[in-house]
């Protein structure tokens, strides 16, 4: 059963003050210290985390000196939670995350918040529409899609710097626009798929310049 932050605003501010005292300027953002209070991240707390813990709401190039650490027990990233976020970096998501909702990491400002080689969670099953769209600074080489992923939504990875994709499993559904390239994006040139041609509909899933290597074995 999912649990959510139920602290009152004053309590949350007190926790944030304690975290700031323990981290110091430029240190990692100890969101993991909220573990006893937080079961999963909810979109209601976006402003709290940005304003009180991250200390920024400005549009700026992400800082490598600030790293967001997820609280323990997180299994879902809610709709739009990190949309347009800036001023910090995410280097790792917990493997226990199974669901990334629509627009979860969409970045309309053109800067990414995700580390260059950050892996998707091993237990991930669902990637929502526009979930990573516009994460222009995120360019793992290649993007590895975990074996348990079953759904990839519309434009989930549009306008990124990803140039290659390798699937470790066979999704049930990949949107026809999942990997489309928009303004400022980088065209995907290689897709490694461990299934036979035609087994997953909508190929090339928006990656019109890609070569698809079917029956791929990693």
């Amino acid at each position: 059963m999912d649990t959510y932050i139920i602290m009152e605003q004053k309590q949350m501010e007190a926790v944030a003050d304690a975290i700031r005292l323990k981290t110091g300027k430029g240190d990692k953002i100890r969101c993991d210290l909220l573990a006893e209070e937080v079961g999963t991240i909810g979109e209601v707390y976006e402003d709290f985390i940005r304003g009180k813990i991250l200390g920024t709401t400005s549009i700026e190039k992400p800082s490598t000196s600030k790293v967001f650490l997820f609280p323990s027990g997180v299994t879902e990233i809610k709709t739009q939670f990190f949309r347009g976020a800036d001023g910090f970096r995410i280097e790792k998501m917990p493997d226990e995350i199974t669901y990334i909702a629509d627009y979860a990491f969409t970045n309309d400002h053109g800067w990414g918040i995700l580390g260059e080689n950050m892996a998707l969670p091993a237990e991930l099953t669902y990637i929502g529409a526009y979930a990573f769209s516009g994460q222009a600074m995120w360019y793992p080489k290649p993007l590895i899609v975990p074996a348990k992923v079953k759904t990839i939504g519309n434009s989930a990875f549009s306008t990124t710097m990803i140039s290659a994709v390798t699937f470790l499993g066979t999704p049930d559904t990949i949107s026809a626009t999942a990997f489309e390239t928009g303004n400022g994006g980088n065209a995907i040139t290689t897709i490694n798929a461990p299934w036979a041609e035609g087994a997953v509909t909508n190929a090339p899933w928006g990656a019109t310049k890609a070569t698809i290597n079917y029956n791929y074995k990693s």
Side-chain angles (χ1 to χ4, degrees), residues 23-168:
T23 58
K25 186 176 180 181
D27 200 352
K28 290 189 175 183
I29 299 158
R30 295 297 307 278
C31 292
D32 57 332
L33 294 177
L34 288 169
E36 293 183 1
E37 310 293 345
V38 183
T40 187
I41 292 176
E43 60 187 306
V44 173
Y45 304 98
E46 177 179 12
D47 290 339
F48 165 66
I49 287 178
R50 285 202 210 166
K52 298 297 182 182
I53 297 179
L54 302 179
T56 179
T57 57
S58 63
I59 299 172
E60 60 183 55
K61 181 177 178 179
S63 170
T64 56
S65 67
K66 291 184 178 181
V67 179
F68 183 94
L69 301 177
F70 284 85
S72 63
V74 174
T75 60
E76 177 178 349
I77 299 178
K78 301 291 186 178
T79 302
Q80 300 193 59
F81 184 73
F82 289 105
R83 184 171 187 169
D86 45 56
F88 64 96
R89 303 285 283 172
I90 295 174
E91 295 181 347
K92 179 178 176 57
M93 283 190 280
D95 281 336
E96 292 76 16
I97 291 175
T98 61
Y99 191 98
I100 297 177
D102 297 351
Y103 296 92
F105 290 96
T106 296
N107 194 315
D108 295 335
H109 306 320
W111 294 107
I113 63 172
L114 303 177
E116 291 182 8
N117 296 304
M118 190 200 70
L120 293 175
E123 298 299 313
L124 187 63
T125 63
Y126 183 92
I127 302 171
Y130 296 90
F132 296 97
S133 178
Q135 284 291 329
M137 292 184 69
W138 180 39
Y139 42 98
K141 302 173 182 179
L143 168 66
I144 306 297
V145 180
K148 295 183 179 182
V149 170
K150 295 301 180 185
T151 301
I152 301 177
N154 296 337
S155 302
F157 294 96
S158 64
T159 318
T160 66
M161 297 303 291
I162 296 168
S163 59
V165 180
T166 294
F167 287 88
L168 299 184

